[in-house]
Amino acid sequence: MTPETAILVAIIVPLVGALAIALAGRFSANLREAATAITSISLIWVVWGLLPTLMDGGRPSIEVSEIMPGLSIAFTVEPLGMLFAALASGLWLINSIYSVGYMRGNKEKNQTRFFACFALALSATMGIAFAGNLFTLFLFYELLTLSTYPLVSHKGDAATVRSARIYLGVLLSTSIGLFLPAIIWTYSLAGTGDFTAGGILAGKLDDPEIGLLLGLFVFGIGKAAVMPVHKWLPAAMVAPTPVSALLHAVAVVKAGVFAITKIIVYVFGIDFLFDAPSSQWLVYVAAFTIVTASLVALRQTNIKRLLAYSTIAQLSYVVMAAAILKPLAEVGASLHMVAHAFGKITLFFAAGAIYVASKKTEVHQLRGIGRRMPWTMAAFTIGALSMIGVPPTGGFVSKWYILAGAFEANNLVAIFTIIASTVLNAAYFLPILYMAWFEREPVGGKEHGEAPFLAVLALCITAILTLAFFLFNGPVIELESQVVKGLN
Amino acid sequence: MDLLAHLPALQVIVPMLSAPLIVLLQPRGLAWAGATASALVSFAIAITLTLAVLDGQTLEYAMGGWPAPFGITLAVDALTALMLLIVTGASAVALLAAKPSIDQQIELERQPLFYSAWLLALSGLVGIVVAADAFNIFVFMEISSLASYILIAGGPDRRALPAVFKYLMMGTIGATFYLIGVGLIYMMTGTLNMADMEARLGDVTDINPVLVAAGFITIGLALKAAVFPLHVWVPNAYTHAPHMVTVFLAACATKVALYVLIRFDYMIFQAALDGHQIQFALFAMPLAILGILVASAVAMFEGHLKRLLASSSIAQIGYILLGASFVSIAGLSASAAHLFNHALAKGGLFLAVACLAYQYRDLRLSQLGGASTRMPWTCAAFVVCGLSLIGVPGTAGFISKWLLINAALGSGAWGWALVAIILLSSLMAVVYVWRIVEALYFLPPKEGEVAVSEAPMQLLIITGLVAVLNIYFGLFPQVPLDLANSAAVLLVEGTK
């Protein structure tokens, strides 16, 4: 298989998988789960098979259809997209293991639809990761929104449908109302929307408009949840926990910050943007989002909503890192995508495991739970420490790079924001850890042990990955440094 | 002369002559088979003509060998070919799927008459499209209108009668206005042939009657085309017509009137009248914008499925008119592309409605509970066509929206405001399409109701096919785009 075909195969495999899952679901649940496993393993094989080419500096690309002159569906693999695709496909396998444990443990309905839509969402994610131009990115971005809608509204009761409406409403209206005009504007300025090293807008746009266009992109990409377009993320927490874990900690939200990073690097060009004072607002908005979301997280009593607000803050880390516009910070942005993915998926897995085992959803119910669910809470602890950025977890590495970039740019706002948010993260995670490990369980609580084995296995794997990323992050740094090679 | 040269005439003659024959086919099912065969032949003729046009030919045909300006001529260029594809395609697809739905709605003994009226409507519509003189357009317009009154009133729904009466009134006023306009032009030029009119109008010294004629023709056709605010006949007519008739008429009937409107204004008046471009733009653009916004807003609050989609049709007519009002190649090709894409999307939606209606008697949104589990394929097709109506990328609807937005950007200082309006109305489309989706997928089924299952295979397969076409033409839109583009070039360059 040439790398070019591998790109298409990576998008088609989950599609075929979705069909297979839907068909297999008619016969037996085990067959269906086997279809999911085979699909996700094949996807990993295809996607990770592209890594050597990328490491050697290859940029495989393929055009599928030229819809109109200048407007085509085309794919190019570059380091940012490679990392995102590798991350999403790898975590999908672990998440599938977890999902089986969770969905069965919870006796959820419509499991076939759930697994089939999940595969569809992964196909859209691959399309986003490998998109070679803005139009293709937009196409799969919308597909991802639509394919995750049935997952968010999975439960189907009135409250869930209402939340799912917010989810769809915010994501679709921002993308059509802001993202699409930004894309059209870019095409009309540059005559192309291809992602090109160094950007395509240099010299074609002047100062106040640069900031405006950047704003259309940043707020149009609602999946990045930069305030004030973040409301959909807490709303999406009505979904089953595996959805929150993979989609609303990894695939969907990362698709947002990934798209913003990619646009900053390949459409604007970081040097071009650095010289435009009107683009500076993005750092402030991201900083505001980080601090505000952390403050809101402090006040949350529901575990999943707390994690959602923490995600909003962490996403803006990536946006802020990209907006610092320095090579080290860009590398930090991509590292943080990985580190946060490992840490946050662990936290969601743990929250879901707690729910399956004990039906507990609130923070205050976690007193003494560490003794009943030691594995789960150990993983939770590792995830939480990574969010705060304590070594030896992955979160430390990415914060280090972002801070280094901020110092390089002399960006005091960014530096102080990182420090402040570290304190805030500690303030909302450490009490939970203390409660779970050191406080005594109230008498008369429900007797329960660990969650189903598959769920615990999955969350242990991601916890180990969180730790491992602290030590073995070399290949990622090497790969992502290619993005900023040759820049100041 | 080879067969190709006769095709423009056959395009009209085949359905027209098969119409009386169908009446004779009394035995069960034969009338349907005959009508479908005739519609398929028309479709095949339209495809052949399109291929010839794509080859760069412009076909002209003189009826009975009498050359223009004495005889009746038919002409086929790119825009004609595109319209022929839409009209014959909609009719063929609707008839192919129609049998189960028609059997349910119309008594067996009346069916031959019904199918015969259908073919008359078809031949009238294609007649309007291929006719190259103004009076025959009127004749064909009357044929198609009278036949479609019968079609709409032909269903079991008695409310269709007042709806048709309204349609008849408005339609007659529109046709009369058109005829008055044509009469005025005849008075000034002494010809009915459109090419001749264009040539002779240049020599007319007293321009006032021509101005009046332009007013009458534009308004009359706007009435027929359901341009806002002359659209009041549409919602009831579409809602209470037999479901398959709605598929056919919603996909093409108003568009044909719009086609004539664009032809007249671009090919005849703009050449003859100084400043007509600006007058046309000033007339059409506000109406288009109002139509888009008001009709979308009405659709957002409409509770009946068919009426909601009918309101959306009025908004979509607004898009087509908006593109035409830019008076630019980009704008017109966006309009022409939207003619095609909207026919695909709306045709597919009404087909899905016909599937739903086969099982659900009451099509109010609140009554559609449980549809998604009982009719999963229908609902899936509905969602795909709905996305195309919204203009989500990857579907046909996106292509024309993209073209329209680009044309708006190129239309001058107000371009951004127009883009904002187009995007706003797309968001409104999200709202009204999603209201339907939520009704289909999340409303609980009514208690004590007999469980229903999927629509008949015949209906379902065609519906699915149209849904797939919506995606296909979103990814590979070359053919309609080529046609739309050459049509636009022809219309704009032809005036110079």
Side-chain angles (χ1 to χ4, degrees):
Chain A
M1 191 160 50
T2 63
E4 284 77 19
T5 29
I7 301 175
L8 294 184
V9 173
I11 293 163
I12 293 167
V13 161
L15 272 185
V16 176
L19 279 179
I21 292 165
L23 282 179
R26 300 196 164 185
F27 302 107
S28 96
N30 286 331
L31 196 63
R32 179 188 66 209
E33 261 66 297
T36 303
I38 292 169
T39 312
S40 54
I41 290 170
S42 341
L43 184 65
I44 289 178
W45 180 69
V46 174
V47 171
W48 290 54
L50 281 165
L51 267 172
T53 319
L54 264 283
M55 285 294 194
D56 294 343
R59 296 286 182 273
S61 96
I62 186 167
E63 182 176 279
V64 180
S65 152
E66 188 174 27
I67 293 184
M68 280 175 256
L71 193 68
S72 60
I73 297 180
F75 300 100
T76 306
V77 189
E78 44 69 56
L80 282 171
M82 184 66 240
L83 182 70
F84 179 44
L87 186 68
S89 60
L91 287 179
W92 184 32
L93 177 64
I94 304 172
N95 191 70
S96 301
I97 299 171
Y98 179 82
S99 298
V100 175
Y102 179 90
M103 298 300 276
R104 290 190 176 181
N106 243 350
K107 303 190 180 61
E108 295 267 354
K109 286 186 206 144
N110 295 326
Q111 292 194 20
T112 303
R113 184 181 76 193
F114 175 86
F115 284 105
C117 284
F118 227 120
L120 276 184
L122 257 290
S123 172
T125 308
M126 294 301 122
I128 294 175
F130 295 146
N133 56 41
L134 281 170
F135 170 69
T136 314
L137 178 73
F138 186 64
L139 171 70
F140 285 98
Y141 181 92
E142 297 292 53
L143 269 183
L144 184 59
T145 308
L146 294 171
S147 61
T148 47
Y149 174 77
L151 294 171
V152 173
S153 63
H154 185 83
K155 230 169 152 189
D157 57 11
T160 309
V161 172
R162 214 163 29 244
S163 287
R165 200 183 292 159
I166 296 175
Y167 178 81
L168 192 78
V170 173
L171 289 183
L172 270 188
S173 58
T174 50
S175 69
I176 292 178
L178 303 172
F179 192 15
L180 185 59
I183 292 175
I184 294 166
W185 193 0
T186 308
Y187 271 94
S188 71
L189 283 174
T192 172
D194 292 349
F195 293 125
T196 315
I200 52 176
L201 284 173
K204 301 204 166 85
L205 195 62
D206 287 325
D207 211 343
E209 283 92 357
I210 296 175
L212 181 64
L213 180 60
L214 184 67
L216 287 177
F217 274 122
V218 169
F219 295 115
I221 301 173
K223 289 188 169 54
V226 176
M227 280 184 182
V229 284
H230 65 285
K231 279 285 178 196
W232 63 271
L233 189 53
M237 290 302 133
V238 295
T241 306
V243 176
S244 309
L246 185 61
L247 298 178
H248 302 123
V250 184
V252 172
V253 291
K254 292 296 174 339
V257 289
F258 163 75
I260 290 180
T261 312
K262 202 158 169 172
I263 285 166
I264 286 178
V265 174
Y266 293 116
V267 173
F268 287 99
I270 60 174
D271 287 344
F272 171 62
L273 215 48
F274 191 77
D275 294 332
S278 72
S279 69
Q280 294 305 310
W281 62 266
L282 185 54
V283 174
Y284 298 100
V285 170
F288 172 80
T289 306
I290 294 172
V291 175
T292 315
S294 304
L295 286 172
V296 177
L298 265 179
R299 298 164 38 90
Q300 296 302 312
T301 53
N302 179 288
I303 306 171
K304 278 178 79 179
R305 288 183 69 88
L306 182 147
L307 293 179
Y309 277 101
S310 155
T311 303
I312 294 172
Q314 299 284 333
L315 290 174
S316 275
Y317 263 82
V318 181
V319 175
M320 188 174 78
I324 288 172
L325 303 170
K326 282 289 170 191
L328 276 178
E330 302 300 328
V331 175
S334 51
L335 284 175
H336 198 67
M337 276 191 231
V338 182
H340 173 249
F342 288 155
K344 194 47 76 56
I345 202 171
T346 310
L347 288 169
F348 271 114
F349 279 172
I354 292 168
Y355 176 69
V356 173
S358 68
K359 300 285 170 212
K360 288 177 180 165
T361 56
E362 304 300 308
V363 172
H364 69 86
Q365 295 170 326
L366 295 184
R367 277 174 229 286
I369 203 166
R371 263 166 259 172
R372 289 193 181 274
M373 308 179 72
W375 291 96
T376 303
M377 284 320 289
F380 189 94
T381 308
I382 293 170
L385 292 179
S386 179
M387 289 299 122
I388 304 168
V390 182
T393 58
F396 173 77
V397 184
S398 54
K399 266 196 186 162
W400 178 271
Y401 269 84
I402 299 174
L403 264 179
F407 274 109
E408 193 187 357
N410 259 332
N411 198 327
L412 289 178
V413 180
I415 296 167
F416 280 116
T417 307
I418 293 171
I419 294 169
S421 94
T422 304
V423 173
L424 285 169
N425 287 347
Y428 61 80
F429 273 123
L430 291 182
I432 300 178
L433 299 183
Y434 179 81
M435 230 193 286
W437 290 117
F438 301 113
E439 282 190 22
R440 205 177 281 273
E441 195 177 351
V443 268
K446 188 184 160 208
E447 286 296 321
H448 65 86
E450 279 283 4
F453 170 72
L454 286 178
V456 179
L457 174 71
L459 62 89
C460 288
I461 296 175
T462 53
I464 292 168
L465 284 174
T466 311
L467 292 176
F469 192 65
F470 176 74
L471 298 170
F472 308 105
N473 48 34
V476 176
I477 294 173
E478 191 188 321
L479 181 66
E480 298 313 309
S481 300
Q482 290 182 14
V483 178
V484 289
K485 200 177 283 170
L487 296 173
N488 57 331
Chain B
M1 281 222 270
D2 60 338
L3 188 63
L4 179 66
H6 288 288
L7 285 184
L10 286 175
Q11 180 81 81
V12 186
I13 290 171
V14 166
M16 188 175 273
L17 288 190
S18 40
L21 296 178
I22 298 290
V23 182
L24 304 174
L25 297 174
Q26 282 294 346
R28 187 184 180 80
L30 264 187
W32 171 77
T36 309
S38 171
L40 282 174
V41 172
S42 298
F43 190 36
I45 293 174
I47 290 175
T48 320
L49 285 171
T50 307
L51 291 178
V53 167
L54 282 175
D55 258 5
Q57 304 182 43
T58 301
L59 300 160
E60 291 211 10
Y61 186 83
M63 292 298 275
W66 293 90
F70 310 108
I72 297 167
T73 49
L74 310 175
V76 178
D77 58 26
L79 187 59
T80 319
L82 187 73
M83 270 320 288
L84 285 179
L85 274 186
I86 296 171
V87 174
T88 58
S91 139
V93 165
L95 273 177
L96 270 178
K99 191 157 187 317
S101 178
I102 299 280
D103 281 347
Q104 195 190 33
Q105 288 199 295
I106 291 163
E107 307 92 271
L108 205 55
E109 58 277 13
R110 282 204 301 122
Q111 281 191 8
L113 289 169
F114 177 84
Y115 285 118
S116 166
W118 185 301
L119 288 181
L120 282 177
L122 171 62
S123 78
L125 289 172
V126 291
I128 298 173
V129 177
V130 294
D133 76 286
F135 186 71
N136 274 296
I137 290 181
F138 171 73
V139 173
F140 284 122
M141 204 185 280
E142 285 302 288
I143 295 178
S144 71
S145 303
L146 291 173
S148 38
Y149 302 148
I150 298 171
L151 289 179
I152 291 173
D157 191 343
R158 293 290 99 185
R159 285 170 295 180
L161 294 176
V164 139
F165 187 71
K166 202 187 228 173
Y167 181 17
L168 184 128
M169 282 297 152
M170 305 287 274
T172 310
I173 295 172
T176 312
F177 271 37
Y178 172 79
L179 194 61
I180 292 172
V182 171
L184 283 169
I185 295 182
Y186 183 69
M187 182 177 86
M188 301 311 291
T189 61
T191 182
L192 288 169
N193 185 291
M194 289 175 79
D196 255 19
M197 264 182 202
E198 186 193 342
R200 293 197 199 171
L201 269 178
D203 303 330
V204 172
T205 43
D206 185 4
I207 213 73
N208 281 340
V210 183
L211 270 178
V212 176
F216 269 113
I217 290 179
T218 309
I219 303 276
L221 290 171
L223 242 170
K224 285 262 176 198
V227 170
F228 182 88
L230 306 172
H231 65 276
V232 285
W233 58 272
V234 166
N236 279 331
Y238 281 12
T239 307
H240 302 304
H243 305 301
M244 296 317 293
V245 172
T246 315
V247 175
F248 177 36
L249 294 183
C252 61
T254 54
K255 299 197 180 68
V256 168
L258 206 54
Y259 157 89
V260 181
L261 175 70
I262 289 173
R263 265 222 125 93
F264 253 98
D265 275 290
Y266 273 85
M267 302 201 107
I268 296 175
F269 296 134
Q270 291 196 3
L273 301 171
D274 282 336
H276 183 76
Q277 285 98 323
I278 298 164
Q279 288 167 3
F280 178 70
L282 284 181
F283 167 75
M285 198 181 285
L287 292 188
I289 292 171
L290 275 175
I292 293 172
L293 294 179
V294 174
S296 302
V298 169
M300 280 166 62
F301 296 100
E302 181 54 62
H304 188 284
L305 180 54
K306 280 180 91 177
R307 197 183 285 271
L308 190 161
L309 292 176
S311 289
S312 138
S313 280
I314 295 159
Q316 304 290 326
I317 291 283
Y319 284 126
I320 299 169
L321 194 64
L322 182 64
S325 74
F326 296 150
V327 198
S328 65
I329 292 181
L332 272 173
S333 60
S335 282
H338 201 60
L339 283 172
F340 183 84
N341 292 337
H342 174 247
L344 264 184
K346 201 44 79 56
L349 284 169
F350 274 119
L351 273 170
V353 169
C355 292
L356 285 170
Y358 193 83
Q359 306 289 20
Y360 286 84
R361 289 187 61 83
D362 191 342
L363 287 176
R364 278 177 298 166
L365 294 184
S366 54
Q367 305 298 311
L368 294 174
S372 65
T373 45
R374 296 159 171 188
M375 311 177 73
W377 293 101
T378 302
C379 290
F382 192 98
V383 170
V384 171
C385 296
L387 293 178
S388 180
L389 187 67
I390 297 171
V392 171
T395 59
F398 176 76
I399 305 291
S400 35
K401 284 246 170 97
W402 176 273
L403 287 174
L404 195 61
I405 287 174
N406 269 325
L409 281 178
S411 73
W414 289 95
W416 272 109
L418 293 172
V419 172
I421 287 168
I422 296 168
L423 293 171
L424 177 68
S425 68
S426 301
L427 291 177
M428 291 161 101
V430 173
V431 173
Y432 62 69
V433 169
W434 223 258
R435 283 184 61 219
I436 308 175
V437 171
E438 283 191 356
L440 295 179
Y441 282 86
F442 295 114
L443 273 186
K446 283 264 170 307
E447 279 184 33
E449 199 179 60
V450 193
V452 296
S453 57
E454 262 298 357
M457 208 38 108
Q458 186 182 3
L459 202 50
L460 199 59
I461 287 177
I462 301 288
T463 310
L465 184 75
V466 175
V468 171
L469 282 181
N470 268 297
I471 292 177
Y472 176 82
F473 282 113
L475 299 178
F476 308 97
Q478 275 75 12
V479 172
L481 279 190
D482 279 355
L483 284 173
N485 213 20
S486 16
V489 171
L490 200 74
L491 285 170
V492 173
E493 307 279 310
T495 60
K496 299 215 169 81

